[in-house]
Amino acid sequence: MAAPAPRRARVDSSRPARVRTEERAPTDPQPYRSALRQARARRRARIEHQQEIKRARLRFLLLLLGLVFLTILIGLSIWEKIEALFGI
């Protein structure tokens, strides 16, 4: 059988009302600036990391293509020597 939901405590009406924005003490902007600097630094690091990944992929593909070209070149030269040796 389902149990009834717990009831919330009543709000104490003797508490003072919220202070209006005009009456509040000015807040220190330093923590906000620090948080903004951290967010910008994280964003910049993330973008630089993504760019480095793209450059690494390009380097890998160029190296892979170079190795494939070299393998084909060596394979053709070996095949030429085999044809000359066996008279194929």
Side-chain angles (χ1 to χ4, degrees), residues 57-69:
R57 286 179 181 156
L58 181 63
R59 284 193 307 265
F60 174 75
L61 288 176
L62 289 175
L63 179 66
L64 188 63
L65 287 174
L67 289 175
V68 167
F69 176 75

Side-chain angles (χ1 to χ4, degrees), residues 64-78:
L64 188 63
L65 287 174
L67 289 175
V68 167
F69 176 75
L70 189 62
T71 302
I72 290 172
L73 186 67
I74 291 173
L76 289 175
S77 65
I78 290 173

Side-chain angles (χ1 to χ4, degrees), residues 8 12-13 19 28 35 54 63-64 69 75 82 85-88:
R8 293 185 178 197
D12 186 15
S13 61
V19 180
D28 184 23
K54 287 179 183 180
L63 179 66
L64 188 63
F69 176 75
I82 290 173
L85 183 63
F86 294 110
I88 299 176

